[in-house]
């Protein structure tokens, strides 16, 4: 970390940190709280006459991605690709292509280092992507958040497939094109969901390709060998009832009622945050996500947690025993699935989240059961008979996990924890922004990593801090245009006072999870930057103020945030809002606010979503403004159709830099929103007891 002057390292008082934002008005004078006049304001609005709007078509020209590799004539040698291809012809493998997804066996977004196989084989470290390797080609698919990052990290042996762009084939289309008919495509069945594997199997069958499940050998692990990190083994902790709001017995009882209603006798839960939420447990196996690697099977009469018992402390053991939960080894899940089928269980499996290995194992065991002779079946110890005592035999109930929605609907204790953690988080951010501006004004040379590290230092002093909720996105200038940019020590930029700076960060606390983005300028922003920032802000305000009828899916609201950019032909390549867990994963479903209109999940009171429109000019700058919101019922003068109407409650209270606002674009009501927001920031955060 860059050496800092001793004065800058001194803890700052909370009152100092709120001398730094202001109110807006149409007049040439700007109303301030008296305390705000003590020194130059980081969040101040320079009093200038309205600026004319520059035509957006005359903006900075982004370089085409092809320029980065245009001088490469031959693919670079890649020893990892060569080694993995040598395994294609190994006995028991015999494949023509191999697929390496990003996920672990639980379809997690963030995964332990030992499961980062796609990153290891390709050197692309973004959180989303799929690798396909054939005997003579290697390709990576990723979405618009990561195009620039992938361009930098992939060597010339790789083909970058920009998913979503016109003319870019899917993985199955590409395989059908490059493989001779009748090829064998290998996968690790633990790493693809059942849905994904079935979709892939059907798509490649058009060219008579076969999908091959390689249970016993992951090819990446086969070349990673001793250098592969060890699996995580950190202890689990109990999530206090005062934060959870509902005990495990009550949650299990509700789940069992769902099983009965669905005609199911047991359910397999494989999503790590669902296991954590249902059992009121938290772990630290996965960076940024307070979860532990485990499966859970809940039956009508018992529940079994499949986990490494070395992680189970005496407190956790007592907690589980009191809830009637038994323990079995993590790697015994498939044998348990076979046993359930032998016993005739009607097993609830979510094809979207349960991996293909579990699903395939259950189906094979069920087929074997139903293929048994009558005499053999009489001797089976069937635990799951229907009401007349006759065995129905194993039958899958294939539908979405009921825990996903239950977890998304936060109870009063969870909402209170989210509110409290966000206020403490805002206090840390206020201290941080004052420190950063002072350092920049003093010409300190701070890298993007230095800044992220210092923010972590401020947050870690807050009560209940556990971890960051994702890798901090600290991007100066052009790096801000890389939507999920992660600065690396020795390979990142110095924060430039003359460029836009984007900071997207979050924290895990014992009582809540935060996620906030602010974009700032330490000098004089250009008219172009101010216009783009202001239009992003207008979209943010429009979504924040939205009122909508119950049963409205999130995609309906996405245009609220984009419309101001659309008016001048601009847009952004990511969703506008994602669900957020309560002291759990920073990204959770099933709700979202996105242009991807396939998600019909309605927004419901108690859900939490982000509000994060943005704009990015490749190789130039990035802008994003993000708050978290909870869905609440709104008292409207009318109730057309006799239904309720919903809106949002703000959870995030951190100033928005008004220097970047072009007042000529804002309406009076938008200015009122910004003034009112900053008034709430002051009232809520300045009262926080300091933890420094």
């Amino acid at each position: 970390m860059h050496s800092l002057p001793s004065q800058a390292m001194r803890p700052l008082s909370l009152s100092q940190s709120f001398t730094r934002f202001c109110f807006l008005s149409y007049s040439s004078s700007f109303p301030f709280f008296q305390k705000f006049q003590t020194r130059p304001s980081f969040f101040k609005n320079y009093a200038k006459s309205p600026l004319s709007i520059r035509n957006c078509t005359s903006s900075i020209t982004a370089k085409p991605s092809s320029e980065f590799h245009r001088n490469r004539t031959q693919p670079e040698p890649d020893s990892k690709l060569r080694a993995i291809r040598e395994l294609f012809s190994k006995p028991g493998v015999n494949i023509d292509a191999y697929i390496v997804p990003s996920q672990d066996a639980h379809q997690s977004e963030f995964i332990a280092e030992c499961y980062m196989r796609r990153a290891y084989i390709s050197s692309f470290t973004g959180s989303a992507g799929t690798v396909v390797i054939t005997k003579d080609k290697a390709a990576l698919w990723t979405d618009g958040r990561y195009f620039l990052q992938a361009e930098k990290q992939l060597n010339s042996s790789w083909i970058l497939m920009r998913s979503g762009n016109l003319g870019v084939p899917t993985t199955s289309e590409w395989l059908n094109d490059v493989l001779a008919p009748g090829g064998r495509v290998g996968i690790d069945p633990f790493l693809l969901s059942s849905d994904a594997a079935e979709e892939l199997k059907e798509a490649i069958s058009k060219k008579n390709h076969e999908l091959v499940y390689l249970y016993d050998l992951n090819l990446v692990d086969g070349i990673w060998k001793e250098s592969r990190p060890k699996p995580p083994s950190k202890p689990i902790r109990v999530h206090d009832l005062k934060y959870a709001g509902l005990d495990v017995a009550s949650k299990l009882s509700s789940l069992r009622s769902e099983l009965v209603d669905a005609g199911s006798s047991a359910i397999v839960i494989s999503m790590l945050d669902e296991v954590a939420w249902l059992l009121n447990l938290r772990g630290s196996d996965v960076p940024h996500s307070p979860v532990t690697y485990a499966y859970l099977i809940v039956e009508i009469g018992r529940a079994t947690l499949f986990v490494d018992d070395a992680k189970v402390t005496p407190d956790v053991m007592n907690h589980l025993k009191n809830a009637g939960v038994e323990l079995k080894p993590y790697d015994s899940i498939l044998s348990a699935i076979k046993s359930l089928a032998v016993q005739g269980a009607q097993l609830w499996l979510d094809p979207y989240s349960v991996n293909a290995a579990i699903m395939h194992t259950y189906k094979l065991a069920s087929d074997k059961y139903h293929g048994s002779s009558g005499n053999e079946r009489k001797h089976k110890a069937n635990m799951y008979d229907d009401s007349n005592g006759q065995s129905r035999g194993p039958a899958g109930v294939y539908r979405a996990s009921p825990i996903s929605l239950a977890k998304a609907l936060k109870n009063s204790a969870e909402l209170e924890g989210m509110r409290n953690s966000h206020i403490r988080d805002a206090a840390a951010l206020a201290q941080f922004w004052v420190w950063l501006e002072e350092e920049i004004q003093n010409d300190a040379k701070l890298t993007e990593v230095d800044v992220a590290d210092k923010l972590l230092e401020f947050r870690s002093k807050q009560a209940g801090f556990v971890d960051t909720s994702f890798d901090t996105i600290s991007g100066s200038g052009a790096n801000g245009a890389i939507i999920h940019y992660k600065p690396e020590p020795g390979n990142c930029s110095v924060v430039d006072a003359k460029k836009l700076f984007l900071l997207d960060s979050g924290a895990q606390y014992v009582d809540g999870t935060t996620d906030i983005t602010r974009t700032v300028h330490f000098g004089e922003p250009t008219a172009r930057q101010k216009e783009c920032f202001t239009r992003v802000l207008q979209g943010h305000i429009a979504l924040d103020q939205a009122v909508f009828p119950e049963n409205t899916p999130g995609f309906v609201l996405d245009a609220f945030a984009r419309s101001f950019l659309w008016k001048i032909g601009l847009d952004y390549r990511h969703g506008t809002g994602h669900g957020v867990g309560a002291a759990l994963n920073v990204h959770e479903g099933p709700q979202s606010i996105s242009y991807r209109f396939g998600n019909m999940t309605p927004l419901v009171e108690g859900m939490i979503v982000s509000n994060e429109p943005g704009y990015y000019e490749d190789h130039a700058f990035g802008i994003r403004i993000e708050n978290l919101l909870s869905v609440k019922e709104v008292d409207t003068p009318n109730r057309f159709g006799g239904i309720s109407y919903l809106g949002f409650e703000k959870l995030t209270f951190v100033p928005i830099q008004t220097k970047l606002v072009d007042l000529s674009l804002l309406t009076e009501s938008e200015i009122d929103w910004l003034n009112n927001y900053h008034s709430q920031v002051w009232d809520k955060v300045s009262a926080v007891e300091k933890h420094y």
Side-chain angles (χ1 to χ4, degrees), residues 387-573:
S387 58
N388 62 13
Q390 298 299 312
S391 171
R392 292 185 290 156
V397 176
Y398 305 118
R399 59 175 68 178
S401 168
I403 302 167
S404 178
L405 182 59
K407 176 170 56 64
L409 302 179
K410 310 299 186 285
N411 60 46
S412 58
E414 290 172 322
L415 287 172
E416 187 63 18
M418 290 292 280
R419 294 185 188 105
N420 292 338
S421 61
H422 275 76
I423 297 304
R424 299 197 306 277
D425 198 57
L429 281 157
Q431 295 283 338
F432 162 79
W433 282 116
V434 171
W435 168 83
L436 181 57
E437 185 192 17
E438 289 180 342
E439 291 297 294
I440 296 296
Q441 289 178 346
N442 291 330
D443 296 323
K445 300 301 181 185
L446 298 171
T447 69
E448 295 159 331
V449 170
D450 292 336
V451 170
D453 289 345
K454 189 66 178 182
L455 176 55
L456 175 58
E457 181 182 323
F458 279 111
R459 274 192 167 122
S460 64
K461 295 176 183 177
Q462 285 296 331
F465 176 82
V466 177
D467 192 5
T468 54
S469 57
F470 55 94
D471 286 320
T472 297
I473 300 168
S474 171
S476 178
N479 290 337
I482 303 173
I483 296 170
H484 275 198
Y485 172 70
K486 179 186 175 182
E488 300 286 354
N491 188 30
C492 64
S493 297
V494 171
V495 176
D496 191 332
K498 297 179 181 179
K499 296 179 179 179
L500 285 174
F501 176 65
L502 186 152
L503 187 73
D504 186 349
S505 67
Q508 295 285 3
Y509 296 91
V510 293
D511 53 345
T513 302
T514 71
D515 183 3
I516 173 176
T517 309
R518 290 295 182 263
T519 307
V520 301
H521 202 297
F522 300 101
E524 289 293 333
T526 66
R528 164 71 169 177
Q529 292 169 338
K530 291 180 68 173
E531 179 187 9
C532 293
F533 181 92
T534 305
R535 290 185 179 276
V536 170
L537 175 61
Q538 287 176 297
H540 180 95
I541 293 171
L543 181 56
D544 178 89
Q545 293 182 316
V547 175
F548 48 94
E550 61 178 327
N551 297 319
T552 299
F555 78 82
V556 173
L557 303 182
D558 184 72
F560 284 49
R562 296 180 192 269
S563 61
F564 298 91
L565 290 165
W566 285 351
K567 288 176 181 178
I568 57 171
L570 299 181
D571 204 348
Y572 50 96
R573 294 190 188 103

Side-chain angles (χ1 to χ4, degrees), residues 89-105:
S89 57
K90 184 176 179 178
V93 179
N94 187 27
I95 57 174
D96 301 290
Y98 190 64
I99 297 176
V100 185
S102 297
Q103 290 77 18
D104 55 22

Side-chain angles (χ1 to χ4, degrees), residues 644-664:
S644 297
Y645 282 74
L646 303 173
F648 296 113
E649 173 193 342
K650 297 177 187 67
L651 295 175
T652 307
F653 292 97
V654 173
I656 295 167
Q657 191 183 42
T658 55
K659 178 199 296 187
L660 277 164
V661 176
D662 184 343
L663 279 177
S664 69

Side-chain angles (χ1 to χ4, degrees), residues 1 18 98 127 165 173 202 216 240 249 255 263 320 373 381 451 531 544 606 618 638 641 646 672 678:
M1 185 173 175
F18 280 87
Y98 190 64
S127 67
N165 280 8
E173 289 170 342
E202 181 179 355
D216 300 324
D240 199 300
L255 176 58
L320 293 172
S373 69
V451 170
E531 179 187 9
D544 178 89
D618 291 355
N638 303 289
L646 303 173
D672 287 343
H678 283 159

Side-chain angles (χ1 to χ4, degrees), residues 238-258:
V238 176
H239 187 53
D240 199 300
L241 184 59
K242 67 181 178 181
Y243 303 133
L246 196 63
D247 62 42
V248 178
S250 298
K251 291 179 179 180
L252 288 175
S253 177
S254 296
L255 176 58
R256 285 170 174 139
S257 295
E258 295 260 11

